[in-house]
Amino acid sequence: MVFPKGNAPRHFFSIVKQHGALLAKGRLTGVQFEALFTDGLYLKIARHANEQAKRLRAIMIRNGLRPFNNSPANQQFFIIPDEMIKELEKEVVFETWGRYDEQHTTCRFVTSWATTDEELEELEGKVKK
């Protein structure tokens, strides 16, 4: 949880500590958040992840794969033919979410601050019609 300075609920830290959920070195986690929230870094890397997700979506649609929903975030869901999943699993990291019908599965693809244009181009080569 992240609270603006001085705005944590009353006794929050005591309650968390009593239930064993307070890290002994919680400051180390805080330092990471402090870095992310300095000079707009978090927004910058989130923007990159979301832009790459838009590219991913366009690639998948261009190659005949249907979106499962309309996600504006860096997680994109597609309805993938089962025979394609077997091939993709050999070289692409994604998650199967569940059966869509007898021949298709809903799959989740996630982009991040580190997703490169080259990785998306490589994915396009693997899903090309």
Side-chain angles (χ1 to χ4, degrees):
M1 300 183 100
V2 178
F3 300 107
K5 289 184 180 180
N7 287 327
R10 187 177 172 162
H11 305 296
F12 174 78
F13 294 104
S14 297
I15 293 167
V16 170
K17 190 173 184 179
Q18 289 168 0
H19 288 88
L22 185 65
L23 293 171
K25 304 292 182 201
R27 183 181 181 291
L28 297 176
T29 303
V31 168
Q32 295 173 43
F33 280 103
E34 183 179 20
L36 280 171
F37 296 142
T38 300
D39 297 328
L41 177 61
Y42 178 78
L43 295 175
K44 179 182 175 185
I45 62 179
R47 190 175 304 112
H48 175 79
N50 290 341
E51 287 171 1
Q52 294 298 66
K54 288 177 188 173
R55 286 194 65 219
L56 168 71
R57 184 179 180 84
I59 286 168
M60 300 297 249
I61 291 171
R62 182 168 53 244
N63 287 285
L65 298 171
R66 293 183 321 186
F68 178 72
N69 61 6
N70 187 17
S71 173
N74 68 320
Q75 297 184 56
Q76 297 293 314
F77 300 82
F78 297 95
I79 301 164
I80 309 287
D82 293 339
E83 63 272 3
M84 182 183 280
I85 290 174
K86 292 175 185 167
E87 288 302 312
L88 283 177
E89 285 177 328
K90 295 176 183 175
E91 300 182 63
V92 178
V93 177
F94 63 96
E95 186 175 2
T96 58
W97 272 54
R99 302 292 303 157
Y100 181 77
D101 61 26
E102 291 180 13
Q103 299 169 348
H104 298 84
T105 300
T106 303
C107 299
R108 179 178 79 129
F109 293 77
V110 182
T111 58
S112 77
W113 61 270
T115 303
T116 65
D117 292 341
E118 293 77 22
E119 289 170 321
L120 292 178
E121 290 165 10
E122 188 177 332
L123 174 64
E124 183 162 25
K126 294 176 184 352
V127 299
K128 241 181 186 22
K129 289 182 184 179

